[in-house]
Amino acid sequence: MKTVAALLCLLGLAACSNKLPAPQSDPSAAATSAAPWAAMKQDEQRAKDVQKMADKQAADQDKQIQQQTQ
């Protein structure tokens, strides 16, 4: 049983060892790897924009409530 497991491991290693890595021709992937924090900054800005929108809608709703109660 041990020899079968060892043989499977050797075959797996031999099958993977001759393959060359695929060239990266996608410029957006290269830009992403050059600045890994850029995506996080975009997400942070998007979250801030959503928070501003929610605050504005809440303020507008408060104004409407105040106008209706007067």
Side-chain angles (χ1 to χ4, degrees), residues 36-45:
W37 302 109
M40 289 176 61
K41 288 290 186 183
Q42 288 177 346
D43 290 342
E44 182 181 10
Q45 186 60 44

Side-chain angles (χ1 to χ4, degrees), residues 9-30:
C9 288
L10 286 175
L11 287 174
L13 288 174
C16 294
S17 64
N18 291 334
K19 295 181 181 177
L20 297 175
Q24 291 185 351
S25 62
D26 188 13
S28 65

Side-chain angles (χ1 to χ4, degrees):
M1 195 61 153
K2 289 181 182 180
T3 56
V4 173
L7 182 60
L8 287 175
C9 288
L10 286 175
L11 287 174
L13 288 174
C16 294
S17 64
N18 291 334
K19 295 181 181 177
L20 297 175
Q24 291 185 351
S25 62
D26 188 13
S28 65
T32 304
S33 64
W37 302 109
M40 289 176 61
K41 288 290 186 183
Q42 288 177 346
D43 290 342
E44 182 181 10
Q45 186 60 44
R46 200 171 301 128
K48 287 180 181 179
D49 292 342
V50 168
Q51 185 64 45
K52 285 180 187 177
M53 181 78 68
D55 291 343
K56 184 179 181 288
Q57 287 178 351
D60 290 343
Q61 189 175 24
D62 287 342
K63 285 181 185 179
Q64 288 177 356
I65 291 171
Q66 289 296 327
Q67 288 176 356
Q68 288 177 357
T69 57
Q70 290 180 354

